[in-house]
Amino acid sequence: MAATWQNPEFELGGVNHLALVCSDMKRTVEFYTGVLGMRLVKTIDLPGDAGQHFFFDMGGGNLLAFFWFRDAPDAVPGVSTAATVPGIGEFTTAVGSMNHLAITVPEERFLEYRATLKGKGVRVGPIIDHDESELGFSTTLHDGVYVRSFYFQDPDGILLEFACWRRELARPGDVTHTPKTAADRVVKV
């Protein structure tokens, strides 16, 4: 959550939609409507039988879209998708990939939602209480935790996060790190 701020350059209204790629549109519809409760609001068949493009209502005026392409290559865990979820294993992905999608949930329902997903058979990672400590997280909830979250994956391995902000961002001390450059990367061969 960020403090109210006006962009002096463009009047941006947030994310219109995020478009991801799935391997099986039927299975994707079943997961996002049946497991996560999103509403399917628009379906499109692409010209020339090239694929499909479906849109789901995430709430709050936000949409999540999926493409199904007839000739899409398979995902490569650890490259195009995370190998697993934070707190369980490696979640680094390649430059240009989408690492994860964080979805805002109310803090008062955070634990309930985690239990509901587990009850539906979804493997969820541990709760991560993000704070300003050296590790960046705590094993206990305290006043310095600015966001609570847990991660899980959809049927194609897309990394999802349920997150609840605990305070406003952009306070003094929130922006203190020097951005790294391409020269700082260690590229594995």
Side-chain angles (χ1 to χ4, degrees), residues 1-109:
M1 153 178 15
T4 302
W5 172 78
Q6 291 293 328
N7 180 334
E9 195 72 27
F10 299 99
E11 186 178 333
L12 304 178
V15 175
N16 180 284
H17 69 276
L18 173 66
L20 306 174
V21 178
C22 68
S23 65
D24 182 321
M25 190 64 85
K26 182 177 185 298
R27 183 177 67 180
T28 296
V29 169
E30 289 168 356
F31 180 82
Y32 285 89
T33 61
V35 175
L36 296 185
M38 293 182 189
R39 184 171 58 126
L40 184 61
V41 295
K42 178 69 177 165
T43 63
I44 301 167
D45 276 332
L46 300 177
D49 201 29
Q52 295 184 311
H53 193 31
F54 284 22
F55 293 79
F56 299 86
D57 184 346
M58 295 174 55
N62 301 293
L63 296 179
L64 176 61
F66 281 89
F67 279 104
W68 174 87
F69 295 117
R70 175 174 300 290
D71 59 357
D74 287 337
V76 180
V79 178
S80 58
T81 60
T84 188
V85 301
I88 292 178
E90 183 57 48
F91 62 96
T92 301
T93 54
V95 171
S97 68
M98 184 203 74
N99 183 268
H100 71 278
L101 170 63
I103 301 169
T104 298
V105 296
E107 186 172 10
E108 63 273 8
R109 306 214 45 206

Side-chain angles (χ1 to χ4, degrees), residues 72-144:
D74 287 337
V76 180
V79 178
S80 58
T81 60
T84 188
V85 301
I88 292 178
E90 183 57 48
F91 62 96
T92 301
T93 54
V95 171
S97 68
M98 184 203 74
N99 183 268
H100 71 278
L101 170 63
I103 301 169
T104 298
V105 296
E107 186 172 10
E108 63 273 8
R109 306 214 45 206
F110 178 75
L111 297 174
E112 171 193 343
Y113 289 176
R114 186 169 185 273
T116 298
L117 286 174
K118 288 175 85 170
K120 291 183 176 193
V122 176
R123 185 179 87 158
V124 300
I127 293 171
I128 300 176
D129 290 323
H130 304 266
D131 65 8
E132 301 295 343
S133 67
E134 186 176 337
L135 291 176
F137 66 91
S138 173
T139 56
T140 60
L141 183 60
H142 59 85
D143 288 343

